[in-house]
Amino acid sequence: HVQLVESGGGSVQAGGSLRLSCVASGHLDSRFCLGWFRQAPGKEREGVAAIDSDGSTSYADSVKGRFTISKDNAKKTLYLQMNSLKPEDTATYTCAAKPTFFCGVWSRAGTYPYWGQGTQVTVS
């Protein structure tokens, strides 16, 4: 079993930055694909970014050049550095994990069996 706990959300003005963290515990190791998803009120959940076991990254077009996903395997922690935030980035951000070396279709939420509770990001 894998547990994921996010932190780092908050309120920020447009143009500002936040860094989200996701700490994993349980049977998760470096051979997992890790991802960030977000869901705004009234909208479907969307993939934000993902990172393969070998460190390869993928991003949604809407965040490319502004967000950076990274991980620290020793700390079992996933990060999402968010810069140049826009009001449309307002959402609940959730980390997810799946036991595959490569993420494959990384933005398909149904392929991730492990999810955190989410952290709110509000950009005004």
Side-chain angles (χ1 to χ4, degrees):
H1 191 59
V2 173
Q3 297 84 37
L4 303 171
V5 179
E6 304 94 337
S7 63
S11 297
V12 64
Q13 291 188 334
S17 298
L18 284 173
R19 187 175 84 153
L20 306 183
S21 298
C22 172
V23 179
S25 60
H27 298 290
L28 182 146
D29 58 29
S30 62
R31 293 168 292 180
F32 274 58
C33 161
L34 303 172
W36 285 100
F37 288 77
R38 67 185 181 186
Q39 187 168 21
K43 294 188 177 181
E44 292 188 357
R45 178 179 286 174
E46 64 171 340
V48 176
I51 186 165
D52 287 335
S53 299
D54 65 357
S56 299
T57 57
S58 302
Y59 296 93
D61 288 343
S62 59
V63 306
K64 279 181 182 177
R66 300 189 298 122
F67 290 12
T68 302
I69 188 171
S70 62
K71 64 177 179 173
D72 185 328
N73 289 331
K75 295 182 178 179
K76 289 190 174 182
T77 302
L78 176 70
Y79 303 100
L80 185 68
Q81 178 66 44
M82 305 186 294
N83 299 328
S84 302
L85 283 161
K86 305 175 181 180
E88 50 264 44
D89 294 319
T90 296
T92 298
Y93 285 71
T94 308
C95 62
K98 57 181 176 181
T100 59
F101 195 89
F102 294 111
C103 293
V105 185
W106 65 271
S107 60
R108 189 173 295 171
T111 64
Y112 293 79
Y114 305 112
W115 292 83
Q117 293 299 310
T119 185
Q120 177 67 36
V121 172
T122 302
V123 185
S124 59

